[in-house]
Amino acid sequence: MSIFKKFFNSSTDNSGETPGDDLTNLHAGLTTDELFTLKFRKNGGKFLYCENMAEVKTHFEDILEENDWFEQEAMCFEPKLFSLLDENKIPHEKTVNPKFLLASCENLIAEEGSVLLSSNQIKHHKPQELPANFVIFATTSQLVQTKSDSLRTIKQRYDKNYPSNIMAFTYFEKSKEEDFLHYGSVAKNLYLLLLEDA
């Protein structure tokens, strides 16, 4: 049984606290999967675990329905993802006002609960030029512990064609209190479709 399946089947721990209430005490002994899940959800991300591509498609349709995006445009630069949009008749070419970005990612970073994107997913666009809503498709094999691990895997994966515009998205809801940790960050409403591939 997948660690994600085990994790999502238990909604609370023995003390009656929900996961993420006191992350500093929970970090010791957590696997990369568990740490990412706790941090990602604490940052406001919406997590949809998928065992196969059929579940990815079903959850994607649920997201479209929940947000009433069936009649809206999407931003997407990756041909491998076009079929998800085409199957749902979502325009994604020469769009004027896309409601969401559909993209894969380079890695999922456990220590921050963040999603690392590059020019492969967002081209040259700055965060404020992207839609407020993201739907990210990733696999469990893309989970890494730290940002350094992620940069190392990118270097190995691309060898000579190293991507540019590498940035980590960490905050997925507007902060209730503005503090220096959030200064300059652009919060995105983010859904993660995570496919089990390990």
Side-chain angles (χ1 to χ4, degrees):
M1 180 188 267
S2 155
I3 188 68
F4 287 103
K5 203 173 228 186
K6 287 183 206 167
F7 191 75
F8 285 110
N9 284 341
S10 61
S11 57
T12 57
D13 62 18
N14 294 337
S15 67
E17 296 176 8
T18 56
D21 282 349
D22 188 7
L23 289 178
T24 39
N25 293 333
L26 291 173
H27 288 180
L30 289 181
T31 65
T32 302
D33 306 3
E34 292 168 324
L35 181 59
F36 173 78
T37 304
L38 287 172
K39 289 277 195 163
F40 178 78
R41 292 171 92 188
K42 183 174 188 272
N43 293 342
K46 297 168 188 81
F47 193 108
L48 297 158
Y49 171 73
C50 310
E51 290 187 324
N52 51 52
M53 278 306 294
E55 286 187 10
V56 170
K57 291 178 181 183
T58 300
H59 287 315
F60 181 64
E61 288 171 10
D62 292 342
I63 293 167
L64 295 175
E65 188 173 344
E66 177 184 324
N67 293 283
D68 198 22
W69 288 341
F70 277 108
E71 304 294 320
Q72 305 295 330
E73 298 176 327
M75 178 184 280
C76 184
F77 302 107
E78 299 171 83
K80 67 181 181 182
L81 297 177
F82 289 170
S83 63
L84 275 174
L85 297 167
D86 293 338
E87 287 170 14
N88 291 287
K89 298 179 175 61
I90 306 291
H92 55 87
E93 291 180 35
K94 298 179 183 174
T95 56
V96 178
N97 186 25
K99 278 290 179 191
F100 66 97
L101 168 75
L102 175 64
S104 65
C105 67
E106 296 297 337
N107 286 110
L108 304 171
I109 303 169
E111 72 175 356
E112 299 177 347
S114 63
V115 177
L116 195 81
L117 302 180
S118 76
S119 55
N120 291 326
Q121 293 85 36
I122 58 175
K123 300 297 182 196
H124 60 279
H125 296 285
K126 296 177 180 141
Q128 57 272 22
E129 297 169 345
L130 298 168
N133 304 294
F134 283 15
V135 179
I136 301 295
F137 171 70
T139 60
T140 53
S141 61
Q142 290 178 284
L143 280 158
V144 294
Q145 188 70 26
T146 66
K147 204 177 274 187
S148 298
D149 294 335
S150 182
L151 295 175
R152 197 175 308 111
T153 61
I154 288 172
K155 199 169 183 180
Q156 292 168 347
R157 187 183 308 140
Y158 295 107
D159 194 26
K160 292 183 172 67
N161 297 322
Y162 199 71
S164 60
N165 201 21
I166 297 171
M167 62 182 82
F169 289 85
T170 306
Y171 302 106
F172 311 120
E173 61 185 2
K174 198 125 177 85
S175 176
K176 293 168 185 70
E177 300 171 14
E178 289 297 325
D179 61 25
F180 75 96
L181 292 174
H182 293 82
Y183 183 75
S185 66
V186 178
K188 299 293 183 183
N189 176 36
L190 192 143
Y191 293 86
L192 175 62
L193 295 166
L194 185 64
L195 177 65
E196 177 73 49
D197 73 340

